[in-house]
Amino acid sequence: MGQYAINAAAGTYAQLQQFGLVGGVSNTKIGITVQIGYNNNQNQIFTPENTETVVDFALQNSYISFLSYWELARDHPILPDFPQNGPDCFAYSNGILENSCVSQGNLEFLHRMNRFNSPAGL
């Protein structure tokens, strides 16, 4: 899923270039927002490792100025009363997730994204 986010950002930038909206007086910047964990389709899973891929891309491309994710309330480990594997967790929640349904630490997506968003790149 990380590559999907990268492809979307790179494709958006390429289209802006085609329309002449990049360079010169235009200081075009693009933001990337991902949906963490299981997405609306349980075959689409954005993992903490995908975050690293997207952050690396953002750090290498100056036209990326913003990274975010949906949503902070989901950025914690699978809740104790939920099935502990991703597909069952997703099914149990009826697609309305109260956690990411992936193996992760508390606020792990936030901490990984902060490597891009923090002033010192930490």
Side-chain angles (χ1 to χ4, degrees):
M1 288 298 296
Q3 192 60 51
Y4 289 140
I6 290 168
N7 292 349
T12 299
Y13 189 73
Q15 285 185 332
L16 291 170
Q17 285 178 312
Q18 289 176 356
F19 294 120
L21 299 174
V22 174
V25 295
S26 174
N27 189 18
T28 301
K29 299 291 182 183
I30 294 173
I32 298 173
T33 301
V34 299
Q35 182 171 332
I36 62 172
Y38 274 71
N39 284 247
N40 297 333
N41 176 335
Q42 71 172 338
N43 295 321
Q44 297 176 344
I45 307 162
F46 192 90
T47 66
E49 293 75 22
N50 292 148
T51 304
E52 294 298 323
T53 303
V54 171
V55 169
D56 288 344
F57 172 80
L59 289 170
Q60 295 168 9
N61 292 278
S62 62
Y63 63 87
I64 303 296
S65 63
F66 181 82
L67 290 182
S68 66
Y69 65 88
W70 184 260
E71 73 185 290
L72 184 62
R74 296 177 59 189
D75 194 3
H76 53 81
I78 298 173
L79 299 173
D81 57 332
F82 275 58
Q84 294 300 300
N85 78 29
D88 290 342
C89 174
F90 182 85
Y92 178 82
S93 68
N94 294 319
I96 302 171
L97 299 178
E98 299 173 21
N99 59 76
S100 68
C101 284
V102 299
S103 178
Q104 70 162 97
N106 196 42
L107 299 176
E108 185 169 349
F109 289 94
L110 175 67
H111 294 303
R112 289 181 184 233
M113 251 184 217
N114 275 345
R115 192 163 57 92
F116 176 80
N117 292 324
S118 68
L122 301 174

